[in-house]
Amino acid sequence: MFDINDFGGIIYGADYNPEQWPREVWREDAQLMREAGVNLVSLGIFSWAHLEPQPDTYDFSWLDEVMDLLHEHGVGVNLATATASPPPWLSLKYPDSRPVTVDGVRLEVGGRQLYCPSHQAFRTQARQLITQIAQRYQGHPALKLWHVNNEYGCHIDQCFCGLCAEEFRLWLQERYGTLDALNTAWGTAFWSQRYGAWAEIQPPRRAPTYANPTQQLDWRRFSSDNLLSLYRMEASILREISPQTPITTNFLGFLPGLDYFKWAQEEDVVSLDAYPDPSSSRPHLEAGMTFDIMRSLRGGQRWILMEQATSAVNWRERNTLKRPGLMRLLNHQALAHGANGLMFFQWRASRAGAEKFHSGMVQHVGPQRSRVWQEVQALGQELKSLTELTQARVPARVAIMFDWNSWWALEIDSKPAALKLMPLVQKWYAALRQLGQNVDFVHPEGNLTAYDVVALPNQYLLSHAAAQNVRQFVNGGGTLATGFFSGIVDEHEHIQLGGYPALISDVLGLWVEEWLVMQPGETNQVQLRENGATYDVHHWAEVIHVTGAETVATFQQDFIAGQPAITSHRFGAGHAYYLGGDFPEAAVIDLLEEILTHANVPLSRLPATLNVTLSDLGNAQVLHLLNVHSTESLDVSLPDGGSRFEDGGSLPKVLTLPPYGVALVRYSRDVRLDELQVLE
Amino acid sequence: MFDINDFGGIIYGADYNPEQWPREVWREDAQLMREAGVNLVSLGIFSWAHLEPQPDTYDFSWLDEVMDLLHEHGVGVNLATATASPPPWLSLKYPDSRPVTVDGVRLEVGGRQLYCPSHQAFRTQARQLITQIAQRYQGHPALKLWHVNNEYGCHIDQCFCGLCAEEFRLWLQERYGTLDALNTAWGTAFWSQRYGAWAEIQPPRRAPTYANPTQQLDWRRFSSDNLLSLYRMEASILREISPQTPITTNFLGFLPGLDYFKWAQEEDVVSLDAYPDPSSSRPHLEAGMTFDIMRSLRGGQRWILMEQATSAVNWRERNTLKRPGLMRLLNHQALAHGANGLMFFQWRASRAGAEKFHSGMVQHVGPQRSRVWQEVQALGQELKSLTELTQARVPARVAIMFDWNSWWALEIDSKPAALKLMPLVQKWYAALRQLGQNVDFVHPEGNLTAYDVVALPNQYLLSHAAAQNVRQFVNGGGTLATGFFSGIVDEHEHIQLGGYPALISDVLGLWVEEWLVMQPGETNQVQLRENGATYDVHHWAEVIHVTGAETVATFQQDFIAGQPAITSHRFGAGHAYYLGGDFPEAAVIDLLEEILTHANVPLSRLPATLNVTLSDLGNAQVLHLLNVHSTESLDVSLPDGGSRFEDGGSLPKVLTLPPYGVALVRYSRDVRLDELQVLE
Amino acid sequence: MFDINDFGGIIYGADYNPEQWPREVWREDAQLMREAGVNLVSLGIFSWAHLEPQPDTYDFSWLDEVMDLLHEHGVGVNLATATASPPPWLSLKYPDSRPVTVDGVRLEVGGRQLYCPSHQAFRTQARQLITQIAQRYQGHPALKLWHVNNEYGCHIDQCFCGLCAEEFRLWLQERYGTLDALNTAWGTAFWSQRYGAWAEIQPPRRAPTYANPTQQLDWRRFSSDNLLSLYRMEASILREISPQTPITTNFLGFLPGLDYFKWAQEEDVVSLDAYPDPSSSRPHLEAGMTFDIMRSLRGGQRWILMEQATSAVNWRERNTLKRPGLMRLLNHQALAHGANGLMFFQWRASRAGAEKFHSGMVQHVGPQRSRVWQEVQALGQELKSLTELTQARVPARVAIMFDWNSWWALEIDSKPAALKLMPLVQKWYAALRQLGQNVDFVHPEGNLTAYDVVALPNQYLLSHAAAQNVRQFVNGGGTLATGFFSGIVDEHEHIQLGGYPALISDVLGLWVEEWLVMQPGETNQVQLRENGATYDVHHWAEVIHVTGAETVATFQQDFIAGQPAITSHRFGAGHAYYLGGDFPEAAVIDLLEEILTHANVPLSRLPATLNVTLSDLGNAQVLHLLNVHSTESLDVSLPDGGSRFEDGGSLPKVLTLPPYGVALVRYSRDVRLDELQVLE
């Protein structure tokens, strides 16, 4: 059976859509793939209409030919279930298989992903198609991996139709058992919402005003689970017919709609579609976060970068291309963060359709004339010297707590302020990366004991079990760094009374009375007691009462002047810090540096343009150094004893990384990050 | 029968929702209420689902218990009809009882206020419920007041369903009698809109382009009346079964949807839900305006502040809390402006549901730990010394003309510019308040003779009757201050031809030929002839021709340079001023100061941070002084002869008001505002 | 038969809606029209409900009376088919005659233009009405012109109902013949969109994500054609019954929805409704562009300005009036650009309805009191001296290529960046005007040989035929000036592979590899090799490889520094220039000046405030000089030998044009633009 860590090298390839091209191009494709070092392509993702041009009439001849051709050229296949986009005949035959928006608009044919996951005839047709595919190709020598559906929940993560309403009711019956339990959980005593029959319950469609928040939360949970049940149906066929071939479905990073912690448990390997915006000031941070959560979903298992752009995409307002060198840099970053596969969407840029302006490995100008082709071909060659990386672990001493449930809950309406979770997580992640840390993401009820420090940029919803998990972690010696507005509600989205965050008030040694939400332009300042350093606070500050915690910093303005802003509390064998306001990134870096230092976590304060990862080969360690600046070089003073990873060659003490430059340094000893120095 | 002026003190309390809490909390609630001085709570507003858990099956046991418990603790009840939010079973049983948006989306269960006011089964169920409640509690000793429904029109002020279309047609038949009359009134000769049958008429649903403006205006009138007919149905049951207990329904200030001048005539006492934004630069002005219109709706009768937040609300983008002192300040302001009741939403902040982040008298932290509790308890005590205020009048010599019809008409599309009424009214109101004036709001067809000066910031729609009313007022010696774009259309929204504002052109001594709408950034200047002072004008300037009026100021730029901008006209025994442009607030203050001075209205030009009201006890007058600044104190030189209101104690000549400070000064003589001085 | 060039003078008039006014006003109207020099009015546009108050019951008596009255007063009639706005009875009788939005909302009665063009009963009713009108008035002496419907596609240019879906399928069958051809053209191999039956095809209604772009493009083509088929039906009745009277329908300039190049071939004379925003900094450029495309649609034939405002309109956010002189100026501009008729909407400003704040010839104040009346009356007199202009040609040596197909295609989603066509066209147009050029618009497959220079600000879609047309033009000696992102796709919206713009890569002597899309705030610079002048480039720059072209300028920054930005290529007997970035207007002027100079096109670099047109009377030429500045005058040094157009009077060498001043100078020789000079 396929092993992500033993593919015979790093996986390299792309989505391949031969049905868009005349047969004469296929052979050229196969030859060019060989030239580029491609060893795996994803095939058939959007082929349903070509495999089943009419209901129950199948045509696999062209796919047979392509499979064979690829195999002849040494290219493996990541074969799709072809269910991602049903053919137009399905929506004509079953008009109610089309999903419905929150406003009741039934969506129309012409795009993709046009299906309601609750529709039985759609499921039946999909089941039948997958069965045919699995039976036909399960023994094919090119087959390496199964690709279930595609980007579940990308466009449609919630369908508000009557069938989904009925599924929602069943899901709720399973969750709550009785209506009484549901009424209690949803707090339906409020606004006369008490349900007397299951049939009265509806999805949170457009309502006169705010829908019940627990209903909204359960609806997000259900919608994720409902797509997951579709995935399960698809995967179960493959597992039955083709048990030797592993299964994946491509994730979309921090996709709002799907709880990937749940999903990842049901596939053999995690794969990711990552499209960081090349025009952002720090695309590597956006990328790195998604890389790290992918690795974290299955406990550190290496993963596949299943889709990325060779250059520009087509779906932003303005799509900046990847300037020379950036594509290679981001792929090296993926490897450093645990990828064992580097694949693109797509092999050959389309001539027609909605994505024709999405770059490919083969561009519209053709390979000979193309800068992009030169870069992807060179990368294909370079990968051959990096095979050993497929065995590396990415050890982290720090984890950020993350949970889709809390994300969903936080962004439901009717909060003290409209908060977005991701900017907070991004800020803390950026700070930890700038301190040189490998970062894991950990589920609130996951195993925290592997870490020295667990950071909660925001954990608005904290289940009772998670609170207990946190308590045990700190009690056992761990260090907790908690951001504002955390631990407010439990799993039912009920306030925990008596002083926030009531469930871990003892751990933090404080209680919060109220929140001082500031308007745009308003500022408070916070001053550290130890050294008098001050930081601005915007948007959010808290009225904190300590009950054992030490006041590390106080607010300087408004009616909370002089009151605690940042605290530290010894609890059991550990420490719990609280940051009671929305601090700018520069402050978060300083504060986390303090916290990590106290927790004896080695760190190095890096310039924003140097991206460092330390991976572990068991018998050696590798320092991955990336200069993420597009025009300026960096001088790095290396820890002693390193050698060039690729060939063991020697390296100067001070290594100059050119713009977008990459260096991998091998150490046969344990390297500490604080041995690294960057020369200004 | 309950008398708003004789409740045995100032009403103090909150909405109380015991169904959200276990029974053991109820007793604690009753004891805490006593502690806080609470004497009235609003009960049952969202209890329909608990009182009638299944269709036609009622359960009053819990409410019986709460009523008795409250009575035992000396707390009266403002008992709701419980119709504000029908239970989910209603929308399952009668799917078409759910209201419909302008786009045809039928709204869904999960929020509140989910009913179409035209739906007969909904009305029947409501009637049946109210009858049960009224019969059961009409003699209960705790019952003090009936609270009909809740915040009519808050979320749904227009329902576009077929039933409402049918009601609309009936309403139109009553209004116009014949289709010919309707066709004339609506001007259907335009765009081929002539109706040949009543059935052809529809609500102004989404159309290819602008719907007929008179249709739009009549639709707003109908929508207000249609909810009013629901109110009437509800109230009539109470009046029949429980004639001894007065009736109110809580208003929402300047709510766009309901013509409160009409509504207020059908209740016994006006009550208000007021949620000024604490983060606005002048929350007291926003509050004061709503207080003053409430008092004006029923000819100066005192009213109840039925809902306000103790601190933060939950429904703005960013919900600023009320900093220490602000809650008390705004309640003193309500008293000064005529409130006899001060109530909060809600007693105990919810644990679950869409409003759990709305503050309560009892906060999530519990009473002992809560700043808010300390403030509401202290206020409850303080009120005991202010009982005499419940007898005060709030005499005004100046009124602002206000009319929902004109507001609706102005904000219909297809105007010379998209104008909003409220900013204009706010500007003039702020100016009058800064000149120390008590301000009434007066309906255009109301009694103007009670005032020295009537101000029309904008009265786009002026009915023939209103024009005659204005003419008589000026002719009889009154002073009229008219803003731009007034008197343009009549009650049918038809232009009055021959030179705007044709119906009062004689009163003003001028006619307006056209409007010079300016773009953002464009400016004209206006210069006063008398003293050469100049003001900027933005957005709007008019081409004015005088026919008797004196030119007070002229425009300085553009093709209207040198032409009249502000005029004054002697008409009969009075004066009519015209301000032919959109002036900034500073200019409006200066101009109104001039106008009031000429009309012999005593005034004092106050700093923006001092809020002054003069109320009248018959045998004494009370000066209410509020420092609305959060951090700076104010020194006020008082008129001679005052004493401390609460206890008759003496006061220094120069009184220092601390930040958010309040002082009430009693005079046994008539005080003139111009005796007051503020020291810089 | 009516001849646009022989109406006995310049057409002058307005829309006339007597049904909005009592009969006593009609006679006054007719007399005032005579006073103002009105010789034509558009009648009956919105009269359907008055002509057919109930289904199949007609009343023409009032129209008879008005027709006769107008004729008595020497006023001709442009008689409408009255189909623009069906009466309310139509939508009650045929609810599905109402159009449907992309979201499935069926629009409601109350506005105008409420019909689905595919609805058979609507068509039948319209046919019947038109037949009645045509039969009744075809011989009437007042009848001069037929006005079909009104502003087709103004509000509703696409209806997404099921009937239109069916028509769309028929249209596609006609276009493609087979489903295979459609599948190929639409590229349905992408995203599993292959159609197996015509019935599966739908309009591009709201979908989960981007609909197929060729589907979108064909939908726009169909929607234009579907309205055109309605026009054809209407016009065919008139042609049959009333063959002596010419036919027009009023266009809306650069209306996105209708391909006027196709439409214009089916009427006898082009007419235009033009509402440039008087508050824009250059309303004359906005106006001039629409004037020029109207003239271009029928090969230089003179046209009628059918609607314009005398002063303000009512439908913008802020509607600035036309300051004194501007109305006259814009009418002179229309004459210079080829108008033979100058008409307003509307004769008398309405009292009621959605357009009552739209100015008219007779304003609300009445004629005696009105500045606007004085201006329109004066213009009516002035026109009498300008009759000879009706014979003039407007010769252009430069044309801008324009095509609705390319416009539609460019603005479909999923592009390298969201580009808007009109700002690009406006920029190039403004540049050419500032160089003194008369400008034609030419269809890509139209006759290019009439021009020295053809400019393509952007021609994203270039059909194979158009590419061949361009090639022949350059090969034959023409000069081509091509903007960025041109020639990317063919008529099916398929990328032309091998290096953009593949179909004319040989003509340009280059190929483009990729596009460097810049974010807001990003800049590159371009430097001319010849003189070192530099220009900023924003938004868009291209990676260009020359294959024969000469590099005129290079980029200065980023990874394309030193690479070609502007090129010139000799091809056959002509030249092809390429501008590979989005240059600011100032740069476009410089570059076009160079290009025109090399092509020996006489030019004069004019100040932005001077608008010059040169028209040709055969035996004489006329220089139209307009000072478009509202407050500053201009001194112009005239070419020798000119005389005052109106009366042959002599003119000073240096002519001073006052603000909004107009001068027409006659030359009995060929004048060259470079003889004109403006003194600073």
Side-chain angles (χ1 to χ4, degrees), chain C residues 414-447:
Chain C
S414 288
K415 292 292 189 299
L419 291 165
K420 292 281 173 194
L421 180 60
M422 291 313 298
L424 295 173
V425 174
Q426 282 157 354
K427 191 155 59 179
W428 287 50
Y429 179 82
L432 289 170
R433 290 297 295 148
Q434 206 154 333
L435 297 169
Q437 298 305 304
N438 290 354
V439 178
D440 278 357
F441 287 89
V442 65
H443 189 275
E445 299 175 24
N447 177 16

Coordinates of all heavy atoms in Angstrom, one line a residue, chain C residues 414-447:
Chain C
S414 N -13.6 36.3 -13.6 CA -12.4 35.4 -13.8 C -11.4 35.9 -14.8 O -11.1 35.1 -15.7 CB -12.9 34.0 -14.2 OG -13.6 33.4 -13.1
K415 N -11.0 37.1 -14.7 CA -9.9 37.6 -15.5 C -8.7 37.8 -14.7 O -8.7 37.7 -13.5 CB -10.4 38.9 -16.1 CG -11.6 38.8 -17.1 CD -11.2 38.1 -18.4 CE -12.2 38.2 -19.4 NZ -13.5 37.6 -19.0
P416 N -7.6 38.1 -15.4 CA -6.3 38.4 -14.6 C -6.6 39.6 -13.6 O -6.0 39.6 -12.5 CB -5.3 38.8 -15.7 CG -5.8 38.0 -16.9 CD -7.3 38.0 -16.8
A417 N -7.4 40.5 -14.1 CA -7.9 41.5 -13.1 C -9.3 41.9 -13.6 O -9.6 41.8 -14.8 CB -6.9 42.7 -13.1
A418 N -10.1 42.5 -12.7 CA -11.4 42.9 -13.1 C -11.2 44.2 -13.8 O -10.9 45.3 -13.2 CB -12.2 43.1 -11.8
L419 N -11.4 44.2 -15.1 CA -11.2 45.3 -16.0 C -12.5 45.9 -16.4 O -13.5 45.1 -16.7 CB -10.4 44.9 -17.2 CG -8.9 44.6 -17.0 CD1 -8.3 43.9 -18.2 CD2 -8.1 45.9 -16.7
K420 N -12.6 47.2 -16.5 CA -13.8 47.8 -17.1 C -13.4 48.4 -18.4 O -12.3 49.1 -18.5 CB -14.3 48.9 -16.2 CG -14.9 48.4 -14.9 CD -16.2 47.9 -15.1 CE -16.8 47.2 -13.9 NZ -18.0 46.4 -14.2
L421 N -14.2 48.2 -19.5 CA -13.8 48.7 -20.8 C -13.9 50.3 -20.9 O -13.0 50.9 -21.4 CB -14.6 48.1 -21.9 CG -14.3 48.5 -23.3 CD1 -12.8 48.3 -23.6 CD2 -15.2 47.9 -24.3
M422 N -15.0 50.8 -20.4 CA -15.3 52.2 -20.8 C -14.3 53.2 -20.3 O -13.9 54.1 -21.0 CB -16.7 52.6 -20.3 CG -17.9 51.9 -21.0 SD -17.7 51.9 -22.8 CE -17.8 53.7 -23.2
P423 N -13.7 53.0 -19.1 CA -12.6 54.0 -18.7 C -11.5 54.0 -19.7 O -10.9 55.0 -19.9 CB -12.2 53.5 -17.3 CG -13.4 52.8 -16.8 CD -14.0 52.1 -18.0
L424 N -11.2 52.8 -20.2 CA -10.1 52.8 -21.2 C -10.4 53.5 -22.5 O -9.6 54.3 -23.0 CB -9.7 51.3 -21.5 CG -9.1 50.5 -20.4 CD1 -9.0 49.0 -20.8 CD2 -7.8 51.0 -19.9
V425 N -11.6 53.2 -23.0 CA -12.1 53.9 -24.2 C -12.2 55.4 -23.9 O -11.7 56.2 -24.8 CB -13.5 53.3 -24.6 CG1 -14.0 54.1 -25.8 CG2 -13.3 51.9 -25.0
Q426 N -12.7 55.8 -22.8 CA -12.8 57.2 -22.5 C -11.4 57.9 -22.5 O -11.3 59.0 -23.0 CB -13.5 57.4 -21.1 CG -15.0 57.2 -21.2 CD -15.6 56.9 -19.9 OE1 -14.9 56.7 -18.9 NE2 -16.9 56.8 -19.8
K427 N -10.5 57.2 -22.0 CA -9.1 57.8 -21.9 C -8.5 58.0 -23.3 O -8.0 59.1 -23.6 CB -8.2 56.8 -21.1 CG -6.9 57.4 -20.7 CD -6.4 56.7 -19.4 CE -6.2 55.2 -19.6 NZ -5.7 54.6 -18.3
W428 N -8.7 57.0 -24.1 CA -8.1 57.2 -25.5 C -9.0 58.2 -26.3 O -8.4 59.0 -27.0 CB -8.1 55.8 -26.2 CG -7.1 54.9 -25.7 CD1 -6.8 54.5 -24.4 CD2 -6.1 54.2 -26.5 NE1 -5.7 53.7 -24.4 CE2 -5.3 53.4 -25.7 CE3 -5.9 54.1 -27.9 CZ2 -4.3 52.6 -26.1 CZ3 -4.9 53.3 -28.4 CH2 -4.1 52.5 -27.5
Y429 N -10.2 58.2 -26.1 CA -11.1 59.2 -26.7 C -10.7 60.6 -26.3 O -10.6 61.5 -27.1 CB -12.6 58.9 -26.4 CG -13.5 59.9 -27.0 CD1 -13.9 59.7 -28.4 CD2 -14.0 61.0 -26.3 CE1 -14.8 60.6 -29.0 CE2 -14.9 61.9 -26.9 CZ -15.3 61.7 -28.2 OH -16.1 62.6 -28.8
A430 N -10.6 60.8 -25.0 CA -10.2 62.1 -24.5 C -8.9 62.5 -25.1 O -8.7 63.7 -25.5 CB -10.1 62.1 -23.0
A431 N -7.9 61.6 -25.2 CA -6.6 61.9 -25.8 C -6.8 62.4 -27.2 O -6.2 63.4 -27.7 CB -5.7 60.7 -25.7
L432 N -7.6 61.7 -28.0 CA -7.7 62.0 -29.4 C -8.4 63.3 -29.6 O -8.1 64.1 -30.4 CB -8.5 60.9 -30.1 CG -7.7 59.6 -30.3 CD1 -8.6 58.5 -30.8 CD2 -6.5 59.8 -31.3
R433 N -9.4 63.6 -28.7 CA -10.1 64.9 -28.8 C -9.2 66.0 -28.4 O -9.3 67.1 -29.0 CB -11.3 64.8 -27.8 CG -12.5 63.9 -28.3 CD -13.1 64.3 -29.6 NE -13.8 65.6 -29.5 CZ -13.9 66.5 -30.4 NH1 -13.3 66.3 -31.6 NH2 -14.5 67.7 -30.2
Q434 N -8.3 65.8 -27.4 CA -7.4 66.8 -27.0 C -6.4 67.1 -28.1 O -5.7 68.1 -28.1 CB -6.8 66.4 -25.7 CG -6.3 67.6 -24.9 CD -6.3 67.4 -23.4 OE1 -7.0 66.5 -22.9 NE2 -5.4 68.1 -22.8
L435 N -6.2 66.2 -29.0 CA -5.4 66.4 -30.2 C -6.2 66.9 -31.4 O -5.7 66.9 -32.5 CB -4.7 65.0 -30.6 CG -3.7 64.5 -29.5 CD1 -3.3 63.1 -29.8 CD2 -2.5 65.4 -29.3
G436 N -7.4 67.3 -31.1 CA -8.2 68.0 -32.1 C -8.9 67.1 -33.1 O -9.5 67.5 -34.1
Q437 N -8.9 65.8 -32.9 CA -9.4 64.8 -33.9 C -10.9 64.7 -33.8 O -11.4 64.5 -32.7 CB -8.7 63.4 -33.7 CG -7.2 63.4 -33.8 CD -6.8 64.0 -35.2 OE1 -7.3 63.5 -36.2 NE2 -6.0 65.1 -35.1
N438 N -11.5 64.7 -35.0 CA -12.8 64.0 -35.1 C -12.6 62.5 -34.9 O -11.7 62.0 -35.5 CB -13.5 64.3 -36.4 CG -13.9 65.8 -36.6 OD1 -13.8 66.6 -35.6 ND2 -14.3 66.1 -37.8
V439 N -13.5 61.9 -34.2 CA -13.3 60.5 -33.9 C -14.5 59.7 -34.3 O -15.6 60.0 -33.9 CB -13.0 60.2 -32.4 CG1 -12.9 58.7 -32.1 CG2 -11.8 61.0 -31.9
D440 N -14.3 58.7 -35.1 CA -15.3 57.7 -35.4 C -15.1 56.5 -34.5 O -14.0 56.2 -34.0 CB -15.3 57.2 -36.9 CG -16.0 58.2 -37.8 OD1 -16.5 59.2 -37.4 OD2 -15.9 57.9 -39.0
F441 N -16.2 55.7 -34.3 CA -16.1 54.4 -33.7 C -16.3 53.4 -34.8 O -17.3 53.5 -35.6 CB -17.1 54.2 -32.6 CG -16.7 54.9 -31.4 CD1 -17.1 56.3 -31.2 CD2 -15.9 54.4 -30.4 CE1 -16.7 57.0 -30.0 CE2 -15.5 55.1 -29.3 CZ -15.9 56.4 -29.1
V442 N -15.5 52.4 -34.9 CA -15.6 51.4 -36.0 C -15.7 50.0 -35.4 O -15.0 49.7 -34.4 CB -14.4 51.6 -36.9 CG1 -13.1 51.2 -36.3 CG2 -14.6 50.7 -38.2
H443 N -16.6 49.2 -36.0 CA -16.7 47.8 -35.6 C -15.5 47.0 -36.1 O -15.0 47.3 -37.2 CB -18.0 47.3 -36.2 CG -18.4 45.9 -35.7 ND1 -17.9 44.8 -36.3 CD2 -19.2 45.5 -34.7 CE1 -18.3 43.7 -35.6 NE2 -19.2 44.2 -34.7
P444 N -15.1 46.1 -35.3 CA -13.9 45.3 -35.7 C -13.9 44.7 -37.0 O -12.9 44.5 -37.7 CB -13.8 44.2 -34.6 CG -14.6 44.7 -33.5 CD -15.6 45.6 -34.0
E445 N -15.1 44.4 -37.5 CA -15.2 43.8 -38.8 C -15.8 44.8 -39.8 O -16.2 44.5 -40.9 CB -16.1 42.5 -38.7 CG -15.5 41.5 -37.8 CD -16.4 40.2 -37.6 OE1 -17.2 39.9 -38.5 OE2 -16.2 39.5 -36.6
G446 N -15.8 46.1 -39.4 CA -16.2 47.1 -40.3 C -15.1 47.6 -41.2 O -14.0 47.1 -41.2
N447 N -15.4 48.6 -42.0 CA -14.5 49.1 -43.0 C -13.4 50.0 -42.3 O -13.7 51.1 -41.9 CB -15.2 49.9 -44.1 CG -14.3 50.5 -45.1 OD1 -13.1 50.1 -45.2 ND2 -14.8 51.5 -45.9

